[in-house]
Amino acid sequence: EVVDTEALAGGGTLPLDAIASAGVAFLPADGATAALARLRATAQPLIARIHDARVVIDLRTIDPADDARVAGALAPLFTAN
C-alpha cells in the first residue's frame, strides 16, 4: 500500500521542520520484526521502520536508480518458503 509519510528535519531533541514524503507499507507473512531483520542483513541493507505492525519504507531517500535493488531485497519477503 502506498502511504503518506513524514520525516522531521533538525537535530537534537527539537526537530523543527516536517518533510512530507510517500512510502510503501506492507504486512509480511513472517511479521514486521523478522522482515526488518532480513532487510538489514543484506549486503546493501534496506532500512525501514515498523508502524502499526507493518513495515514502512520511506521512498524519500531512495534513488529511482535503486528501484531494482529495492525490489530484489523485497522479493524474498513475498516468496513462499
Side-chain angles (χ1 to χ4, degrees):
E1 170 184 6
V2 176
V3 295
D4 292 328
T5 63
E6 187 175 84
L8 296 174
T13 59
L14 297 172
L16 301 175
D17 296 317
I19 301 169
S21 184
V24 177
F26 58 95
L27 182 60
D30 61 349
T33 301
L36 285 186
R38 288 176 69 178
L39 292 171
R40 291 176 179 173
T42 62
Q44 291 182 311
L46 179 59
I47 305 301
R49 63 184 171 86
I50 298 173
H51 182 74
D52 291 336
R54 298 186 300 169
V55 173
V56 178
I57 300 170
D58 190 327
L59 301 175
R60 181 176 58 86
T61 59
I62 296 179
D63 189 319
D66 290 329
D67 286 352
R69 186 182 71 77
V70 172
L74 294 174
L77 300 179
F78 297 99
T79 303
N81 295 328

